[in-house]
Amino acid sequence: MTLQFCRSLRSGQAVGGTVFACVQAALLLTLTTTVAQLLDTFTVIVSPLRFFGANTEAIALTASLMVRAISHISGLLGEAERAARARGLDSSIKARVVPAILRSVKYAQDTGRALDARGIVD
């Protein structure tokens, strides 16, 4: 192997490992913490930004929605992989990724509609 390939392989493994660790941490956090607790925690964490005129409640809501979305999208990827395997498309990346992307967009749209219905977004 060339030195360049080894570097890119190591970089890829580091990035992949970091993404995997973040997804697992988000899953653990959402399994052990309620949405209200997440929102309260993020509000406390970003409270110093209030001095700069930031809307800390909106930032906290965004952060808590992001953590919830990570765990939801991870589940969607698992479901899409199982569905592709059931159809005999184990090696097709497209058969696994496209359904997960489409369902992720639907989840984001549904979340936006729910926030809009509650008057949370402008």
Side-chain angles (χ1 to χ4, degrees), residues 58-114:
I59 295 171
L61 178 62
T62 303
S64 63
L65 287 173
M66 180 190 65
V67 170
R68 301 268 305 157
I70 289 171
S71 64
H72 184 75
I73 291 170
S74 175
L76 291 178
L77 286 168
E79 289 175 16
E81 183 177 356
R82 287 188 296 278
R85 187 174 297 130
R87 293 188 316 254
L89 301 171
D90 295 348
S91 61
S92 175
I93 292 176
K94 190 175 11 174
R96 288 182 277 162
V97 174
V98 171
I101 289 172
L102 294 175
R103 290 182 66 194
S104 297
V105 170
K106 183 184 179 317
Y107 175 76
Q109 290 173 336
D110 290 346
T111 302
R113 284 187 203 107

Side-chain angles (χ1 to χ4, degrees), residues 6-20:
C6 289
R7 285 184 191 154
S8 63
L9 181 64
R10 252 186 261 135
S11 296
Q13 288 172 335
V15 169
T18 302
V19 169
F20 179 77

